[in-house]
Amino acid sequence: MNMRKVLVRSCLAAVMFIFLLGAGFKKAKASDFDPGFYASYYPDVAAAYGTDPNALYSHYLTFGINEGRFKNAQEAATGHRDDTLDTPTTYVDVDLTNQQMIYYVDGAPVLSSAIVSGNTSNGNGTPTGVFFINAKVPGKYLVGPTWNVWVNRWMRFTGAVGLHDASWRSEFGGEIYKKNGSHGCVNLPSDVANSLYDMVNIGTMVIVH
């Protein structure tokens, strides 16, 4: 590997570490996290998020760590929490400020695109946090109070919010989201949505910030 590649990879790793440190993203290995314990020990979380393991894990990463919650019975018994930092290597990064999506595989960016996220002027901003893709559908209607649109690639990551193509848009990025954004979803160009759909799986991490 030449010196330039080494430098690029080192800079990328440093940037990711700083971002995750600032975002409060901390280590919580799936093997250490016990969704059954988490749901029973914190009934308020189970009532709001259900008992799906990925939904509970998402809550722990996004809120639980900062709230001082335990991820398993051993931590609860000892009162000691393991919150050492860890860097995910394969995930979808959604940057709302810069209106950009980047998909990383083993720490390397393999797909990037401008996006249009939720319309912040009417309170439909895209939710931030650590999520997981929990549904993949090759084609479906997205139906709501004032909309009924067909998308070819649907990748849901929380509630009724997901990543999908938006063939009705001719432009992405910039400040479109502020007044002409989505109802919360992350809109992608059709070719990008097609590619991302083929790359991700159920359980792929999605970090929205």
Side-chain angles (χ1 to χ4, degrees):
M1 181 180 296
N2 61 41
M3 186 58 66
R4 183 178 180 181
K5 289 184 177 179
V6 171
L7 181 60
V8 170
R9 289 194 177 184
S10 297
C11 290
L12 177 62
V15 169
M16 284 305 300
F17 179 80
I18 292 171
F19 157 66
L20 292 170
L21 180 62
F25 185 86
K26 301 180 179 180
K27 176 180 175 181
K29 294 181 180 178
S31 59
D32 295 332
F33 180 77
D34 183 344
F37 161 82
Y38 200 73
S40 62
Y41 201 76
Y42 301 113
D44 59 319
V45 176
Y49 286 76
T51 57
D52 176 77
N54 273 346
L56 293 169
Y57 189 38
S58 173
H59 179 277
Y60 175 71
L61 291 174
T62 305
F63 306 108
I65 292 176
N66 291 331
E67 293 172 356
R69 297 181 190 257
F70 301 110
K71 65 176 178 283
N72 56 41
Q74 181 178 359
E75 283 193 352
T78 62
H80 176 71
R81 298 167 58 243
D82 177 14
D83 291 341
T84 53
L85 288 168
D86 191 24
T87 303
T89 58
T90 298
Y91 62 98
V92 179
D93 180 86
V94 178
D95 183 341
L96 300 179
T97 301
N98 295 306
Q99 289 292 284
Q100 184 178 45
M101 181 281 301
I102 302 177
Y103 178 51
Y104 292 90
V105 176
D106 295 331
V110 299
L111 181 67
S112 64
S113 173
I115 64 169
V116 175
S117 60
N119 189 332
T120 55
S121 67
N122 61 12
N124 286 326
T126 301
T128 59
V130 181
F131 309 101
F132 298 85
I133 291 177
N134 54 47
K136 285 180 62 182
V137 181
K140 67 169 294 181
Y141 282 102
L142 301 182
V143 181
T146 60
W147 67 92
N148 187 336
V149 297
W150 174 265
V151 299
N152 291 312
R153 296 293 183 267
W154 169 244
M155 294 157 277
R156 185 180 66 200
F157 57 81
T158 183
V161 176
L163 301 120
H164 64 77
D165 54 298
S167 59
W168 55 89
R169 293 191 182 277
S170 58
E171 293 183 320
F172 295 82
E175 297 188 347
I176 297 171
Y177 74 102
K178 291 184 177 180
K179 293 185 178 180
N180 189 29
S182 71
H183 295 94
C185 289
V186 178
N187 289 181
L188 300 167
S190 295
D191 59 337
V192 174
N194 289 340
S195 296
L196 184 64
Y197 185 91
D198 291 339
M199 294 176 176
V200 301
N201 299 299
I202 300 295
T204 296
M205 182 179 290
V206 180
I207 300 176
V208 185
H209 59 97

